[in-house]
Amino acid sequence: MSENEFDVIFIGGGPGGYAGAIRAAQLGLKTMLIDDRQGDDGKPAPGGTCLNVGCIPSKALLDSSKHFHHIQHDYTDHGISVDGLSIDIDTMLERKRKVVKQLTGGLVQLFKANKIEFVNGRGKLFADRQVEVTPNDGDKYTVTGQHIVLAAGSVAFSIPNVEVDNELILDNVGALEIAQVPKRFGVIGAGVIGLEMGSVWSRLGSETVLLEAVDDFLPVIDRDMAKLAQREFKKQGLDIRMGCRVSAAEASDGKVKVSYTKDGEEHQEVFDKLLVAVGRKPATDQLLADDSGVSLTERGQIEVDGSCRTSADQIWAIGDLVRGPMLAHKASEEGIAVAESIAGQAAHINLDTVPWVIYTDPEIAWLGKTETQLKEQGIEYKTGSFPFAATGRGLAMGNAVGQVKILADAESDELLGCQIVGPSASEFIGEVVVAMEFNGSSEDLARIVHAHPTLSEAVHEAALAVDKRAIHKVN
Ligand code: FAD
Ligand code: NAD
């Protein structure tokens, strides 16, 4: 194989591309990874949206703001009070940048250790699996791969008449770099990003208003669970307004004027900063030459089969570019599965058991089907739920908000779904993922010994409640 030929070339070094490239190299494939992202210092910053402007920096700010909020509001019951509490936003942002840099720098080391040919620059796919490489600091050249994996990720959607300048009108990138607490923080979209970033600035003192076009809050989970979460967010001061479709935003004199329609009437609001969080779209711009042979769907995603094969021979696509949830762990699993398929191994991804988590407080985690979906599909089911307020650990922690809900098939008892609103939901949703991946039943979860006292006992009790035999509540 010549210098410019590879077994596999990954275009895009987010959680999909980098995890796939590492796995391919582990399997002995001659691997190239091309990623265009650079840090503020001009150094390569692989890791994609997730590490640079997504999962990790947003969680860093969520954690900083959570500490600040808890000290202010939740510790007096513990006998803890603090005078003269303050937060230094510069320090908070610097900590976030350090976390990101540590992770992106760590990836570059991992690429070296795995002998991956890593190029910081752009890749573009042409016919016959040829990739034009444009390094950030050099001249263009062409390489060829036996296999190509497209992993270019996604970018934020925009809406007409709302121009993101990342000064006053922000997307996810600008929302992670706000230098001082805005007095009034507006958010378009009460989806995942809106709730997480709205929580950050609300906890730090912004009067935060979320304008959401649809009438139902979080339609991806059941109404009882969504109501529970919405009630908690309201208590925290988040002003979530449903049925409000934003039609325009105008920035002038350091303020943003937002126009929206509710029940057919025009309204306006003025904010100091406005976040646009109305979804994301696949980053296919400048990725595919006209002769690449790769087809897109009507929604602009790259068309793939269940194994991530595109319409072009030996070209694969993964992560946010393709169907399925836009989540980092889903992208990584696809990258790894594709690398294994290329190496001739049997690989499989089960999109039905991909868990979702919203890292608000309480956290919201779920997987599988909701009651609404089961009713629509005519599937007979039974449910069991259990509140954290009835767990010893929740009460001892002083954080007993929310509940676990489990859905199981009425006849076979096979687990069909789980939704959790509550503390650390992100951590113990994993137990239900494992059970569902093994086609487990609510009985299985009910018979597993759970450590006491833990929050995960609420999962155990919810499983017991499916057959009306929970111990610490009236069934
Ligand atoms: P990406 O991470 O987008 O990576 C693709 C990379 O390819 C990018 O660096 C891009 O610059 C590069 N690239 C694009 N085109 C080219 C090209 N032609 N040549 C070279 N390089 C190219 N998901 C979670 O699971 N948990 C979370 O907590 C979470 N939080 C999020 C918070 C925010 C604010 C946002 C915006 C997203 C969040 N996500 C979260 C979603 C998650 O970031 C994405 O699902 C995930 O990053 C997708 O991975 P990917 O590898 O497909 O693409
Ligand atoms: P989203 O799809 O979660 O929410 C967008 C919301 O904007 C929707 O509720 C939509 O109805 C609303 N909307 C659209 N147009 C509007 C308008 N004109 N006026 C008012 N509301 C409008 O999208 P997002 O929050 O931008 O996040 C994008 C994706 O990023 C997520 O779907 C998820 O895949 C990923 N993400 C994941 C996490 C996580 O896993 N914790 C965190 C952040 C982002």
Side-chain angles (χ1 to χ4, degrees):
M1 205 175 275
S2 82
E3 201 191 346
N4 283 346
E5 286 176 338
F6 292 85
D7 289 320
V8 54
I9 300 171
F10 287 81
I11 306 180
Y18 84 69
I22 291 174
R23 185 70 188 120
Q26 284 173 348
L27 290 165
L29 300 173
K30 185 180 173 197
T31 305
M32 174 180 258
L33 173 64
I34 310 166
D35 184 76
D36 60 358
R37 221 171 260 273
Q38 288 184 318
D40 299 339
D41 52 7
K43 289 194 178 150
T49 303
C50 174
L51 261 54
N52 289 283
V53 287
C55 326
I56 300 301
S58 61
K59 265 79 259 176
L61 298 188
L62 275 157
D63 272 311
S64 297
S65 60
K66 189 160 86 178
H67 293 311
F68 184 68
H69 188 267
H70 280 330
I71 297 171
Q72 268 186 324
H73 300 282
D74 302 326
Y75 289 167
T76 44
D77 282 357
H78 295 264
I80 301 169
S81 58
V82 178
D83 288 331
L85 181 70
S86 67
I87 180 153
D88 180 58
I89 301 295
D90 279 350
T91 307
M92 179 185 82
L93 293 180
E94 201 42 46
R95 188 190 84 91
K96 176 212 68 167
R97 290 184 201 116
K98 263 192 207 149
V99 172
V100 169
K101 210 166 160 191
Q102 189 173 343
L103 290 168
T104 57
L107 279 183
V108 176
Q109 297 307 317
L110 275 177
F111 300 156
K112 267 190 205 140
N114 281 284
K115 300 192 172 46
I116 292 168
E117 175 83 16
F118 172 57
V119 181
N120 194 209
R122 287 195 67 81
K124 184 168 182 175
L125 178 69
F126 286 77
D128 302 325
R129 299 188 303 280
Q130 293 196 61
V131 176
E132 180 188 82
V133 184
T134 311
N136 287 342
D137 59 359
D139 296 333
K140 275 186 190 165
Y141 59 99
T142 299
V143 290
T144 314
Q146 282 297 313
H147 294 264
I148 311 291
V149 185
L150 303 170
S154 64
V155 290
F157 258 130
S158 52
I159 46 178
N161 309 318
V162 181
E163 201 174 316
V164 170
D165 56 14
N166 272 333
E167 293 289 332
L168 292 175
I169 304 183
L170 318 169
D171 59 15
N172 61 297
V173 179
L176 293 162
E177 285 294 335
I178 298 175
Q180 56 189 26
V181 181
K183 193 163 172 329
R184 295 202 86 217
F185 184 54
V187 182
I188 313 180
V192 194
I193 295 180
L195 288 170
E196 290 188 351
M197 296 314 298
S199 293
V200 167
W201 295 103
S202 160
R203 290 167 187 173
L204 296 177
S206 296
E207 188 191 323
T208 303
V209 180
L210 283 76
L211 300 169
E212 168 55 54
V214 304
D215 291 324
D216 282 341
F217 179 63
L218 281 183
V220 282
I221 57 173
D222 279 328
R223 293 308 76 212
D224 54 338
M225 300 300 278
K227 269 194 196 122
L228 207 168
Q230 196 174 3
R231 204 169 51 230
E232 289 306 317
F233 296 144
K234 193 172 176 189
K235 274 194 224 159
Q236 291 166 17
L238 279 180
D239 180 356
I240 304 175
R241 301 185 193 166
M242 305 306 296
C244 298
R245 180 168 291 278
V246 173
S247 50
E250 196 189 322
S252 66
D253 297 333
K255 301 268 180 199
V256 189
K257 194 161 74 180
V258 178
S259 306
Y260 66 95
T261 326
K262 182 167 171 60
D263 300 329
E265 279 182 29
E266 285 287 326
H267 297 263
Q268 290 194 330
E269 279 286 347
V270 176
F271 299 109
D272 298 289
K273 297 272 183 196
L274 176 72
L275 166 62
V276 187
V278 294
R280 296 181 63 80
K281 61 178 182 187
T284 48
D285 273 4
Q286 304 299 316
L287 176 67
L288 306 170
D290 291 344
D291 62 1
S292 72
V294 171
S295 308
L296 301 186
T297 66
E298 273 177 10
R299 298 177 59 194
Q301 295 166 321
I302 293 184
E303 195 171 12
V304 286
D305 67 10
S307 305
C308 297
R309 286 187 176 83
T310 70
S311 51
D313 205 23
Q314 289 169 214
I315 313 268
W316 311 68
I318 59 173
D320 282 9
L321 278 179
V322 305
R323 83 282 174 267
M326 284 184 161
L327 295 173
H329 41 286
K330 176 262 191 185
S332 297
E333 290 308 316
E334 285 182 334
I336 290 165
V338 164
E340 292 177 349
S341 298
I342 291 171
Q345 296 189 351
H348 173 65
I349 317 135
N350 184 2
L351 292 183
D352 291 339
T353 51
V354 174
W356 278 83
V357 178
I358 306 180
Y359 294 81
T360 44
D361 192 9
E363 292 183 345
I364 305 171
W366 71 95
L367 84 154
K369 297 204 188 316
T370 60
E371 277 197 66
T372 316
Q373 289 169 330
L374 291 170
K375 278 182 193 144
E376 278 166 11
Q377 293 168 18
I379 298 169
E380 299 280 320
Y381 64 92
K382 43 190 184 170
T383 72
S385 62
F386 194 80
F388 289 103
T391 65
R393 187 65 194 277
L395 288 176
M397 287 167 69
N399 192 357
V401 165
Q403 66 171 7
V404 177
K405 174 175 173 179
I406 286 177
L407 300 153
D409 188 278
E411 209 176 316
S412 68
D413 192 37
E414 183 174 345
L415 289 165
L416 299 173
C418 174
Q419 296 163 47
I420 307 175
V421 173
S424 304
S426 55
E427 296 298 339
F428 53 85
I429 189 78
E431 127 169 50
V432 188
V433 178
V434 174
M436 282 183 65
E437 190 60 38
F438 284 86
N439 300 323
S441 61
S442 80
E443 170 94 25
D444 290 329
L445 279 181
R447 287 194 182 277
I448 290 170
V449 182
H450 287 70
H452 175 73
T454 57
L455 294 168
S456 71
E457 285 174 295
V459 174
H460 187 220
E461 291 268 17
L464 286 164
V466 171
D467 280 328
K468 304 205 177 338
R469 55 195 174 107
I471 302 297
H472 294 94
K473 76 165 199 176
V474 179
N475 290 286

